[in-house]
Amino acid sequence: MITVRNALLVAVAMMVLSGSPLMAQQKRISPHETVSAVVDGNRVTVVYGRPYTKDPKTGEPRKIWGGLVPFGKVWRTGADEATLFITQQDLQMGDTTIPAGAYTLWTLPNEDGSAKLIINKQVGQWGQDHSDMKKVYDEAKDLARVDLKKDPAEKPVDQFTMSVGKNPSGGGILKLMWEETQYSIPYTVKK
């Protein structure tokens, strides 16, 4: 059944995915992917850029965590435009309620291995490197910062990968995987 809320979310997603004038002026460097899952009757969709470990210009391997993605600095969680996160129903992540809607996801990794997932209410931002973050990321528009769980990846991951799906212990789980690291956060659908 299509509700007004779902129709609005689809419209917002289409506007963002079709690209703003700013995005039209930018050149994507990395492949992009859309992942989506229905968990407990709610669809969560993530649209993100998938950079490789190897430098696209030189082919040389890069250190990811603490290198390409510096510790203690906000990262756009992917490549090119900021990662888009859409939920059709309200979610609970940690102590935070995320209302149905479209958001961008940012990550704040720290040298001690901890990391925060930042859910930001602004969509459509673009960024090329960390010197541009002040132009595209607006901390005042953060909905929340939630703790990510860090685990070793099951196997090395050459291309940044995100997944969303059912959590074996109930609800859903969002995962971010790259190099030798996997970050994750469980969520539940608010009833």
Side-chain angles (χ1 to χ4, degrees):
M1 179 171 95
I2 297 179
T3 64
V4 172
R5 174 182 266 177
N6 288 347
L8 179 60
L9 289 175
V10 169
V12 167
M14 293 307 291
M15 286 187 312
V16 171
L17 293 175
S18 66
S20 68
L22 177 60
M23 283 184 211
Q25 297 171 14
Q26 304 293 335
K27 180 180 177 194
R28 284 183 171 173
I29 296 173
S30 298
H32 283 244
E33 186 165 340
T34 300
V35 294
S36 182
V38 176
V39 174
D40 298 333
N42 177 60
R43 178 169 299 281
V44 170
T45 303
V46 178
V47 183
Y48 70 106
R50 300 193 61 205
Y52 287 92
T53 302
K54 291 182 180 176
D55 186 304
K57 294 175 184 159
T58 67
E60 294 296 315
R62 302 179 285 189
K63 175 161 179 44
I64 302 304
W65 303 107
L68 181 65
V69 180
F71 293 129
K73 294 189 181 206
V74 173
W75 174 55
R76 71 177 159 258
T77 313
D80 307 321
E81 60 264 34
T83 294
L84 180 64
F85 178 86
I86 302 168
T87 178
Q88 293 178 326
Q89 296 178 35
D90 296 356
L91 297 180
Q92 189 73 35
M93 276 189 183
D95 295 332
T96 301
T97 297
I98 301 167
Y103 303 90
T104 51
L105 298 181
W106 303 80
T107 307
L108 179 59
N110 294 303
E111 195 167 359
D112 66 4
S114 66
K116 299 271 187 193
L117 180 70
I118 303 168
I119 299 104
N120 187 276
K121 295 181 271 186
Q122 183 180 10
V123 295
Q125 308 98 310
W126 183 274
Q128 287 183 293
D129 60 39
H130 294 283
S131 64
D132 291 341
M133 286 299 144
K134 290 185 181 183
K135 295 178 187 174
V136 297
Y137 169 70
D138 184 353
E139 184 176 351
K141 299 204 176 170
D142 286 355
L143 172 70
R145 290 180 176 211
V146 292
D147 291 326
L148 288 167
K149 179 183 177 206
K150 180 182 178 185
D151 290 302
E154 291 179 18
K155 60 182 181 178
V157 180
D158 179 52
Q159 188 179 20
F160 177 65
T161 303
M162 295 183 73
S163 69
V164 60
K166 291 184 180 180
N167 189 348
S169 61
I173 190 162
L174 175 68
K175 294 181 181 179
L176 296 75
M177 298 156 281
W178 205 5
E179 207 173 41
E180 306 281 334
T181 302
Q182 173 182 285
Y183 288 107
S184 63
I185 184 160
Y187 66 84
T188 56
V189 178
K190 297 219 30 162
K191 302 291 178 189

